[in-house]
Amino acid sequence: LRCLWLVSGYLPESEFYKIEAILRYNVQIGLGVMQGLLELGIRGVTVSDVRGFGSQGGSTERHEGSEFSEDTFITKVKMEIVVCKEQVEAVVDKIIEKARTGEIGDGKIFLIPVSDVIRIRTGERGKQAERMTGGLSDRLSSVVSIS
Amino acid sequence: MQNHLGGEIARVRVNRSRLHLLRTGQAATNPAAVAFYNYPRSLRRIGTSKAKHQSSVVSPELKLHGRARHFVERPTALVATMLLTKPHASLAVSSSPLPKNGPIANRIAPLAPSASRRRGGLRVAAASVTEAQPSQSATPPAAAADAAAALSRVDVLSEALPFIQRFKGKTVVVKYGGAAMKSPALQASVIRDLVLLSCVGVRPVLVHGGGPEINSWLARVGVEPQFRNGLRVTDAVTMEVVEMVLVGKVNKQLVSLISLSGATAVGLCGKDARLLTARPSPDAASLGFVGEVSRVDPTVLHPIISSGHIPVIATVAADQTGQAYNINADTAAGEIAAAVGAEKLLLLTDVSGILADRDDPGSLVKEVDVAGVRRMVAEGKVGGGMIPKVECCVRAIAQGVRTASIIDGRVPHSLLLELLTDQGTGTMITG
């Protein structure tokens, strides 16, 4: 079963990937995504308020009742999470599950390869730095240790 | 019997041992008299020794003068029955599509037998006006029934507290239409509920549709309504009539009803302060001046709501050139809810909600999330007329409204049931 996690198939290959999700500015959805990630075991997220638009083919996005297309920036939420390549799929699926409404303006997720992760407090690098106590890595490794 | 002012009064012998009240029949027919008995207990004296042989002024139209006081013996049971028997008479009738209301009906049902007993006692007493010997058997159970009724009433009120706290200060958008708009009794119930919500601190916004008024006025003006694929074609003349009826008649009628119920309302249409800006809908070529919401500017609603008025919005709006369009009230309500940051959107409909199985009226879906309801639409479980309402709910939730409910407008007090009880009524779509 361990081998399934190794096949992430993203290029360029990297140990870590940053998942950058740009979501609609909806507090309820944001909280839902956060709860989902916490359930999953993701213990570190960076959130920022950004503005943007991304309309396609003339379709308009509704924000607070009004329709917007390419000429105005709308408030969005950006979430950045750095995880090991084995955890990427689970996190992406969870974000989509919690943030999807089906309406235009749900947002996009970008995967960016990350060369290294360094913890400032201890100076750890690599997998040690990425690992968070009680997080997804611990859960996955505990599953593995049984077999 | 008349008093010196020429008004109708009933001579009431108030005696603690004989809980006996005569009515001139106003209680059944005069809602003003019913409202009169809603005065708090502190303003009522109950059978003191001074009250013996006092004549009671029953008709509320008479002005109080001198030492005339309202000595009303034990009205609580009567008030309770008037406030509570009407809803649960209909709850008992429409039992099957509303399985959720079982607990409420059960809780209030014990009142019904005692109330009818009380009522029976009244009728007997009213019949025997001249001889004043009431049935003694009515007294002890009536006293117990009063206590039970009063306790039940405050019990229900106390249980509503967490819901009142949750919604206090929050805006709730109610889209009003369908059967609730046609029947005067249901209309009065909805208006009363709105006023109640306004009093407990919830901030309601009422958005209304057209109802049958448009058709009747088109007939009066002499315009033949045209239909294409079941939808009305709104040409220029029809649009004028629609605007006049919606904004001039229906809107102001609702404002006036709210005023009569004790709150204040301000009637707006989409054109006022550019609340709604319309654009022609994609099928406007065939259906005429039917529009969709292009922009919402809720600035004008904030001072109205913060002053304590209830905005009543007619969904007629103008486009950039000033041409009036009629916007579907459901979609407009959803966009207005998104614009004002409403906590809840309520759509009053003529069905009990979304049914999991169309043939089984008991299979009401009480709560569903956006993903689930999209699945139901894809599977075809949602009927044709419900799909636009469901879409508008989903759009509102995507834009920040916490929950959206499709509730049964044919049930009296459906608004209160949905907001102030755990069971709710109809289908609630959450994020």
Side-chain angles (χ1 to χ4, degrees):
Chain A
L1 282 172
R2 185 90 169 100
C3 61
L4 284 175
W5 289 103
L6 290 175
V7 179
S8 45
Y10 298 118
L11 290 173
E13 267 289 326
S14 167
E15 269 299 312
F16 312 104
Y17 287 88
K18 171 154 90 162
I19 300 165
E20 205 172 86
I22 309 214
L23 310 170
R24 61 169 79 238
Y25 190 77
N26 183 327
V27 177
Q28 205 185 352
I29 285 180
L31 289 176
V33 173
M34 289 312 305
Q35 260 180 345
L37 292 176
L38 283 173
E39 279 167 27
L40 206 51
I42 301 299
R43 291 275 177 278
V45 182
T46 307
V47 178
S48 40
D49 286 330
V50 298
R51 289 182 300 149
F53 66 85
S55 54
Q56 33 191 342
S59 53
T60 53
E61 172 183 350
R62 282 202 178 270
H63 179 70
E64 285 182 357
S66 311
E67 288 177 326
F68 294 97
S69 61
E70 293 102 15
D71 47 0
T72 24
F73 292 105
I74 313 172
T75 327
K76 302 278 177 192
V77 172
K78 178 155 87 167
M79 274 189 193
E80 293 169 90
I81 314 157
V82 176
V83 287
C84 296
K85 60 185 181 217
E86 297 89 19
Q87 304 163 8
V88 169
E89 284 301 313
V91 173
V92 167
D93 289 336
K94 183 60 91 172
I95 294 176
I96 292 177
E97 174 198 331
K98 294 287 180 184
R100 169 188 277 163
T101 64
E103 297 292 318
I104 293 174
D106 274 345
K108 276 204 167 99
I109 299 176
F110 304 111
L111 286 179
I112 302 156
V114 171
S115 330
D116 205 357
V117 179
I118 302 121
R119 182 172 276 131
I120 295 177
R121 179 173 58 89
T122 55
E124 292 163 322
R125 286 174 175 259
K127 273 221 181 281
Q128 269 308 108
E130 192 274 335
R131 164 186 242 96
M132 306 267 232
T133 339
L136 190 53
S137 314
D138 284 354
R139 290 190 198 177
L140 288 178
S141 58
S142 65
V143 167
V144 166
S145 60
I146 290 170
S147 61
Chain B
M1 189 183 282
Q2 295 203 329
N3 72 351
H4 66 283
L5 295 178
E8 274 282 310
I9 61 163
R11 181 148 247 141
V12 176
R13 210 157 246 190
V14 172
N15 189 327
R16 226 198 173 119
S17 62
R18 300 178 192 174
L19 300 176
H20 157 208
L21 189 60
L22 289 169
R23 293 280 184 269
T24 54
Q26 280 186 353
T29 56
N30 184 356
V34 175
F36 166 72
Y37 297 119
N38 288 338
Y39 286 161
R41 286 187 72 103
S42 53
L43 292 183
R44 296 194 294 251
R45 287 280 183 80
I46 296 179
T48 60
S49 55
K50 280 193 208 166
K52 263 189 193 172
H53 309 300
Q54 277 263 3
S55 68
S56 160
V57 179
V58 174
S59 160
E61 284 87 39
L62 288 176
K63 301 284 178 229
L64 296 180
H65 59 278
R67 294 173 58 78
R69 295 212 192 134
H70 304 279
F71 286 109
V72 176
E73 186 62 38
R74 301 282 185 207
T76 47
L78 194 63
V79 178
T81 58
M82 283 190 192
L83 285 180
L84 296 172
T85 37
K86 257 203 260 178
H88 36 97
S90 46
L91 275 175
V93 164
S94 61
S95 53
S96 54
L98 302 165
K100 283 188 297 187
N101 296 323
I104 302 178
N106 288 338
R107 204 186 318 130
I108 301 179
L111 267 185
S114 54
S116 54
R117 215 184 314 141
R118 178 95 177 118
R119 280 249 193 94
L122 280 178
R123 262 184 243 120
V124 166
S128 61
V129 164
T130 47
E131 79 275 306
Q133 304 305 318
S135 50
Q136 286 289 338
S137 59
T139 315
D146 296 334
L151 190 64
S152 181
R153 192 145 46 99
V154 297
D155 193 27
V156 167
L157 205 55
S158 171
E159 287 194 18
L161 175 64
F163 299 95
I164 297 175
Q165 284 174 324
R166 192 202 302 181
F167 288 109
K168 190 174 172 68
K170 302 272 169 49
T171 311
V172 169
V173 175
V174 178
K175 185 264 166 178
Y176 177 51
M181 215 161 164
K182 293 173 198 156
S183 139
L186 286 174
Q187 194 172 54
S189 151
V190 168
I191 299 289
R192 206 186 144 89
D193 291 349
L194 278 180
V195 172
L196 178 78
L197 290 174
S198 179
C199 283
V200 300
V202 184
R203 297 165 169 209
V205 174
L206 189 65
V207 179
H208 66 87
E213 303 272 3
I214 297 177
N215 285 327
S216 74
W217 276 98
L218 280 174
R220 267 186 252 200
V221 168
V223 175
E224 267 302 315
Q226 294 174 15
F227 289 89
R228 200 163 296 176
N229 298 336
L231 300 165
R232 190 215 315 275
V233 176
T234 311
D235 55 358
V237 181
T238 311
M239 188 60 226
E240 278 190 26
V241 175
V242 163
E243 185 169 356
M244 286 194 294
V245 169
L246 282 187
V247 183
K249 181 172 193 297
V250 177
N251 190 276
K252 301 311 168 188
Q253 202 169 356
L254 290 171
V255 166
S256 167
L257 285 172
I258 294 176
S259 293
L260 287 175
S261 299
T264 46
V266 176
L268 299 168
C269 80
K271 292 183 176 181
D272 293 316
R274 281 188 222 138
L275 176 60
L276 299 170
T277 309
R279 62 165 166 81
S281 71
D283 44 7
S286 55
L287 291 181
F289 294 112
V290 178
E292 290 187 4
V293 176
S294 136
R295 194 157 230 91
V296 182
D297 184 3
T299 326
V300 71
L301 293 179
H302 298 311
I304 294 176
I305 295 175
S306 46
S307 305
H309 308 301
I310 300 176
V312 181
I313 303 174
T315 57
V316 170
D319 67 357
Q320 318 277 29
T321 63
Q323 167 63 48
Y325 285 88
N326 185 15
I327 304 178
N328 180 280
D330 291 311
T331 45
E335 307 308 336
I336 291 172
V340 299
E343 177 80 9
K344 202 162 170 68
L345 170 68
L346 292 163
L347 301 181
L348 285 162
T349 59
D350 288 342
V351 295
S352 47
I354 301 178
L355 299 171
D357 178 10
R358 221 177 296 187
D359 306 312
D360 178 18
S363 68
L364 180 70
V365 177
K366 289 178 197 165
E367 193 171 324
V368 65
D369 66 349
V370 168
V373 80
R374 282 213 189 273
R375 213 178 314 130
M376 287 178 76
V377 170
E379 287 170 4
K381 286 189 181 161
V382 180
M386 278 292 259
I387 292 184
K389 294 192 197 283
V390 163
E391 302 266 308
C392 124
C393 287
V394 167
R395 256 201 309 270
I397 289 169
Q399 293 177 77
V401 177
R402 184 77 75 86
T403 56
S405 295
I406 299 175
I407 64 182
D408 192 349
R410 304 165 300 180
V411 174
H413 300 299
S414 48
L415 287 182
L416 296 183
L417 280 171
E418 176 63 22
L419 281 179
L420 300 182
T421 62
D422 210 3
Q423 295 91 341
T425 176
T427 305
M428 177 160 85
I429 304 176
T430 57

